[in-house]
Amino acid sequence: MKFIKPKDIENLYDTLDTTEQQYLLAGGTDINVQINNGIIRDPNIIYISHLKELSGIEETNNEILIGSTTSFKDVIESRIIKKYFLLMYNSLQNFASPLIQTSATIGGNIANGSPTADVIPILLALNAKLLICSKSNKREVPLKDFFTGYKKNVMKNNELITKIIINKNAEQKYQTYYQKVGSRNSLAIAKVAVAGIKKVVKEKIIDIKLAVGSLNEYPRRLFKVEEYVTGKRLTEIDFEKVEELLNSEITPISDFRSDKEYRYHVCVNLIRTFLNE
Ligand SMILES: Cc1cc2nc3c(=O)[nH]c(=O)nc-3n(C[C@H](O)[C@H](O)[C@H](O)COP(=O)(O)OP(=O)(O)OC[C@H]3O[C@@H](n4cnc5c(N)ncnc54)[C@H](O)[C@@H]3O)c2cc1C
C-alpha cells in the first residue's frame, strides 16, 4: 500500500493522470473499512481532504456549491444550508454519530455509492448536480445520471467529484419530506429511506421529486410515480396504480438488516404519507 499526499490541486490532477490502482481518501470512513476487510488490496491511496479548493460551502447568484470534502459536521452547522435547504439540514442531523460526522464527507458518501447512503436521496430530491473534474476536463453531471450500477458510476479513473451544485430555489415553496427507517435513530444504516419535495397549487400536485434509498442497487428517483401523480388532486390519485408503478421502480432485497416484504410495505406507506400530507 502506498500513500500519496498531493501538495496542491494541480498536483492532485497530475497524480490522478499517472497513478494506477488509485483510491481517493477523503474522510476514510468507508475506504478504511474496505481496506481492513480486504475488499481493496494493495491500493495507492491519494489523500484529498487537506486541499482547500475541495471543501467549504459557497453561495453564488443562483446556486449553492458544496465542496466534495466538506464534512457532514460542516454541512449540518452551515447557515447557508439551514437557510436554503431545510430538508438537508433537518434530515442529516442524526447522520452516523457526532464522531463520524467530523470525518465523513459529502463527496465520499456519494462516490462510495452505497444503496444506503443517506445524502443521495436528499440530493436527488433537490435535483443536485455534480461537478466532476480531471486535469483536462470539467463536466457537470446531474446526480440522477451519475450511477450506472451497484457502486458503479460515470467517473473515469482520472476524475473526481469537486463540488455538489444545488439551485438555491430547489425547495423554495415546496413541501418537503424525509424518512429514514433504521433500527434506531443514530448510528443506524437505513433499511428504507424516502426523500421528496412537492409543490401543490389549489390542491393539485404541480411538481414533485421523489427519491428512495436502500431499495435498489443505488438510490434513485421514482420518475414513473412522479409522472403519474403530477397534475392530479389527491382525490384523483389511485394508490393501487401508485403501487403498481412503484413495483416497477424498486427492487428491494432481503438481507441481514431487513426483508424485502418489509422494505416494500414501508416504502409504500411512506410514499402514501407524503402524498397525503
Ligand atoms: C461507524 C460508521 C457509521 C456510519 N454511518 C453512516 C450513516 O448513518 N449513513 C451513511 O450514509 N453512511 C454512514 N457511514 C458510511 C460513511 O461514513 C459515509 O459514506 C461517508 O460519507 C463517506 O465519506 P468519507 O469522506 O469518509 O469517504 P472515504 O472513505 O474517504 O471514501 C469513500 C469512497 O469514495 C471515494 N471518494 C471520496 N471522495 C471522493 C471524491 N471527491 N471524488 C471521487 N471519489 C471520492 C473514495 O475513493 C472511496 O472509494 C458510516 C460509516 C461508519 C464507519
Side-chain angles (χ1 to χ4, degrees):
M1 188 150 54
K2 184 172 158 198
F3 292 95
I4 303 164
K5 188 174 179 187
K7 65 177 186 327
D8 53 32
I9 194 89
E10 294 310 322
N11 187 213
L12 168 66
Y13 290 132
D14 287 337
T15 310
L16 285 172
D17 262 353
T18 53
T19 314
E20 303 276 304
Q21 183 67 6
Q22 62 199 11
Y23 292 88
L24 300 175
L25 190 147
T29 59
D30 275 317
I31 198 163
N32 284 334
V33 176
Q34 291 159 12
I35 294 169
N36 287 343
N37 291 342
I39 298 166
I40 296 176
R41 287 168 195 273
D42 204 22
N44 290 312
I45 297 291
I46 306 174
Y47 290 113
I48 56 169
S49 58
H50 60 293
L51 298 170
K52 60 180 186 321
E53 292 85 348
L54 297 179
S55 91
I57 300 172
E58 298 163 56
E59 184 173 347
T60 68
N61 282 347
N62 301 318
E63 293 169 330
I64 302 299
L65 313 180
I66 308 174
S68 61
T69 62
T70 307
S71 70
F72 279 97
K73 179 172 187 289
D74 288 345
V75 170
I76 63 180
E77 287 182 353
S78 159
R79 278 183 296 118
I80 297 180
I81 298 296
K82 188 172 182 185
K83 178 174 173 193
Y84 291 104
F85 310 123
L86 263 184
L87 172 67
M88 175 149 58
Y89 176 82
N90 289 330
S91 308
L92 293 175
Q93 293 296 325
N94 286 329
F95 180 91
S97 66
L99 184 64
I100 296 288
Q101 286 169 10
T102 61
S103 314
T105 66
I106 187 163
N109 198 250
I110 298 167
N112 189 56
S114 166
T116 65
D118 282 349
V119 87
I120 301 173
I122 298 164
L123 291 174
L124 283 169
L126 293 173
N127 213 15
K129 294 178 289 187
L130 305 178
L131 182 62
I132 295 179
C133 298
S134 67
K135 189 177 165 73
S136 56
N137 198 25
K138 269 187 183 177
R139 56 190 178 125
E140 283 186 7
V141 175
L143 180 59
K144 67 180 173 52
D145 301 329
F146 179 68
F147 297 104
T148 54
Y150 175 70
K151 295 210 165 203
K152 289 200 169 75
N153 60 56
V154 299
M155 271 189 301
K156 299 186 190 118
N157 274 345
N158 64 349
E159 291 182 315
L160 83 158
I161 303 168
T162 57
K163 297 206 185 297
I164 293 97
I165 305 170
I166 315 172
N167 191 294
K168 270 185 180 173
N169 296 325
E171 67 166 81
Q172 303 303 312
K173 302 201 174 116
Y174 281 76
Q175 291 169 243
T176 64
Y177 182 83
Y178 179 73
Q179 276 295 323
K180 167 181 170 177
V181 177
S183 303
R184 50 183 184 249
N185 282 341
S186 51
L187 265 183
I189 300 299
K191 296 176 181 183
V192 177
V194 174
I197 66 170
K198 66 173 179 179
K199 194 183 267 183
V200 179
V201 175
K202 293 185 182 155
E203 294 173 21
K204 206 179 255 190
I205 296 174
I206 60 160
D207 191 23
I208 185 164
K209 294 184 185 65
L210 264 175
V212 291
S214 299
L215 292 160
N216 292 301
E217 66 277 42
Y218 52 88
R220 62 172 55 175
R221 287 264 301 272
L222 301 175
F223 291 110
K224 291 182 191 169
V225 176
E226 289 175 5
E227 194 187 340
Y228 170 69
V229 300
T230 301
K232 291 194 172 55
R233 289 170 202 277
L234 193 57
T235 48
E236 292 168 345
I237 295 175
D238 172 357
F239 281 93
E240 279 184 17
K241 180 72 183 167
V242 171
E243 275 201 49
E244 183 192 316
L245 294 170
L246 195 56
N247 246 316
S248 68
E249 296 198 290
I250 63 171
T251 49
I253 56 160
S254 297
D255 62 12
F256 65 96
R257 278 191 203 104
S258 193
D259 61 55
K260 60 183 180 191
E261 291 78 17
Y262 174 84
R263 286 191 157 111
Y264 175 76
H265 288 297
V266 169
C267 176
V268 170
N269 288 340
L270 295 180
I271 285 170
R272 190 184 270 260
T273 305
F274 176 48
L275 292 175
N276 277 317
E277 268 181 356

